[in-house]
Amino acid sequence: MKKLILDLDTGVDDALAISYALGSPEVELIGITGTYGNVLMEQGVRNALAITELLGHPEVPVYKGLPHASTKDSFEVLPISAFIHGENGIGDAVIPDPQRDAETEPAVDFIIDAVKTYGDDLVYVPTGPQTNIAAAFRKAPEIAE
């Protein structure tokens, strides 16, 4: 069975991606790495934690990724993103706060470890900025193969 990492800026579309991944018999969701885009990275991580719990899968680890592009000092959500995804990223739906925190291991290190562990059996799906994978390639260029 393929192992899956979703690298998400967890908005409405990413909530669906989590749902599909958890329901797929073809992949095992081994982790979610947070990034920025639809929302700030912290909000996206909160959303991923809450959604996996809401769907009955609190065992899926969620990792904090980089909060902005490597060429920037910060990130601000664009007004169009807030309009499409709501202020909280998930259409302003109110769901319970997660009962757990993100993992302490950084997303970049988790990605590197997963590539080294699973190799060709790993599927990496980024739906937002690809800052986390770019940082992983810089830190461990050998994983690009």
Side-chain angles (χ1 to χ4, degrees):
M1 176 180 293
K2 293 285 187 179
K3 308 301 181 182
L4 175 66
I5 295 175
L6 294 175
D7 190 14
L8 309 176
D9 55 339
T10 306
V12 173
D13 54 336
D14 302 312
L16 291 173
I18 293 169
S19 299
Y20 290 139
L22 291 173
S24 174
E26 298 172 359
V27 296
E28 175 188 353
L29 181 58
I30 62 166
I32 297 171
T33 53
T35 190
Y36 57 92
N38 295 325
V39 292
L40 298 177
M41 183 273 299
E42 291 287 344
Q43 180 69 50
V45 166
R46 179 262 178 221
N47 291 348
L49 288 164
I51 290 165
T52 52
E53 286 183 12
L54 184 68
L55 296 175
H57 288 277
E59 76 282 1
V60 175
V62 178
Y63 301 84
K64 290 182 182 179
L66 299 172
H68 55 78
S70 61
T71 58
K72 305 282 184 184
D73 293 327
S74 63
F75 172 77
E76 291 183 21
V77 177
L78 295 174
I80 190 67
S81 293
F83 175 76
I84 293 169
H85 295 277
E87 291 298 321
N88 71 352
I90 51 175
D92 292 326
V94 177
I95 61 174
D97 285 329
Q99 299 301 302
R100 61 194 170 115
D101 295 322
E103 303 297 312
T104 56
E105 180 181 17
V108 170
D109 293 339
F110 168 68
I111 292 166
I112 293 167
D113 292 344
V115 171
K116 290 180 177 181
T117 300
Y118 300 109
D120 290 339
D121 289 329
L122 179 68
V123 177
Y124 174 82
V125 179
T127 65
Q130 297 181 14
T131 307
N132 291 330
I133 193 70
F137 288 158
R138 279 193 303 278
K139 187 172 184 177
E142 70 277 8
I143 69 167
E145 293 296 320

